[in-house]
């Protein structure tokens, strides 16, 4: 199964990731590669828990990423 993963830079350094289709599924790491491995394990674990609980495993959801430009407000 493939899932969309959103990677974020952490304020304190490193990265964290989330899976929009799987509530509460997060991972973290010092590098992007480490974060992707952590989130892969988190996805596996989340799916196993859903199956054990008799809950249907959701498919990936449609995520659209866009960049929006806004003007910075002027200082008063």
């Amino acid at each position: 199964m493939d899932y969309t993963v959103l990677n974020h830079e952490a304020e304190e350094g490193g990265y964290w990731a989330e899976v929009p289709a799987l509530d509460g599924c997060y991972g973290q790491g010092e590098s992007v590669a480490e974060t992707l491995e952590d989130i892969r394990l988190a996805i596996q674990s989340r799916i196993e828990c859903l199956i054990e609980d008799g809950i249907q495993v959701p498919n990936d959801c449609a995520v659209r990423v866009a960049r929006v430009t806004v003007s910075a407000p002027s200082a008063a």
Side-chain angles (χ1 to χ4, degrees):
M1 298 177 82
D2 291 331
Y3 283 97
T4 299
V5 173
L6 303 178
N7 275 319
H8 306 272
E9 287 187 34
E11 289 181 20
E12 63 279 359
Y15 300 88
W16 66 278
E18 62 182 310
V19 182
L22 298 171
D23 282 343
C25 192
Y26 299 98
Q28 63 182 13
E30 292 299 316
S31 67
V32 172
E34 187 178 305
T35 304
L36 290 176
E37 177 60 17
D38 193 54
I39 197 68
R40 186 186 68 75
L41 295 172
I43 291 168
Q44 258 182 323
S45 177
R46 183 73 177 119
I47 289 172
E48 289 170 5
C49 288
L50 290 171
I51 291 170
E52 285 176 12
D53 292 343
I55 299 171
Q56 183 175 351
V57 176
N59 293 322
D60 195 21
C61 61
V63 175
R64 301 202 190 283
V65 176
R67 183 175 294 271
V68 176
T69 303
V70 298
S71 298
S74 301

